[in-house]
Amino acid sequence: MMKALILLHTILSLITPMTLNETLTELSEGAERLAEEVSPERLAELDALADWVAEQPAEGTTDLVFICTHNSRRSHMGQILAQAAAHHHGLRDVRTHSGGTEATAFNPRAVRALQELGVGLACANPEAKNPVYEVVLQPGAGTTAAFSKVYSDASNPQAGFAAVMTCSDADEACPLVFGAAARFATPYVDPKVSDGTAEEAATYRERALQIGTEMMYVMARAAAIRRG
């Protein structure tokens, strides 16, 4: 049911790109239904991630590193939409990052899908083999850089972070994520399965909405636990 609703929304929203506020509203509504839409095992993993976030001292920095094989699609979606969800729920200590087991490039299809959801993404070197994008999620809140890199890159936290595995290949290839204080497996189907087809844009939008909905659920639960 949830997949059908997301796909319908994907088709309709492709006609008119959304603002980030509209996207956050949509993700929040989806997060409220999530417990009825996913398997108990999936929900338990998301709950465990939310609980870990809630347990971290709010006066410090709570780091999440989203990891996929190539750091090109799902891990970037996770990083950016989880950060937007954390801002939405007032979790100012949460900082999100991403990386891969190897570096490639932030896929332009994933970039486009996020832009159509209202995420501010600008690139000063689009012709580069591995372009660097500046991400803007809140006016006046500064920017963060998004580019493909290995998870151990110096720009990422080196210890004390939660590793969020967004693809099964990376999860299997990294039995140990060095420096991680916790590890969670939330694999997603790679949207590249639709590359070059008529369904390409819809598939990328659907995957972004799925990831964003689950991350909104995580941040909403973490914020609620902290409030007691």
Side-chain angles (χ1 to χ4, degrees), residues 119-140:
V119 174
L121 280 164
C123 184
N125 60 339
E127 303 304 320
K129 184 177 180 180
N130 186 7
V132 177
Y133 293 84
E134 292 297 322
V135 185
V136 180
L137 292 173
Q138 286 187 320

Side-chain angles (χ1 to χ4, degrees), residues 87-102:
H87 286 326
H88 185 71
H89 286 287
L91 298 171
R92 305 304 178 195
D93 58 299
V94 172
R95 299 289 184 272
T96 64
H97 317 265
S98 67
T101 56
E102 59 185 273

Side-chain angles (χ1 to χ4, degrees), residues 13-57:
S13 59
L14 279 172
I15 300 172
T16 305
M18 301 168 68
T19 67
L20 185 57
N21 283 339
E22 289 170 339
T23 295
L24 293 173
T25 297
E26 184 73 19
L27 298 182
S28 295
E29 292 172 354
E32 292 175 359
R33 302 187 300 266
L34 192 69
E36 302 171 0
E37 303 287 354
V38 300
S39 69
E41 295 78 14
R42 182 78 172 190
L43 190 66
E45 192 75 356
L46 295 172
D47 285 347
L49 174 57
D51 293 348
W52 185 88
V53 171
E55 291 165 2
Q56 307 312 302

Side-chain angles (χ1 to χ4, degrees), residues 192-210:
K192 76 176 181 180
V193 296
S194 294
D195 284 4
T197 72
E199 293 76 34
E200 180 181 282
T203 298
Y204 276 80
R205 176 66 64 88
E206 179 185 356
R207 192 64 62 246
L209 288 171
Q210 179 191 12

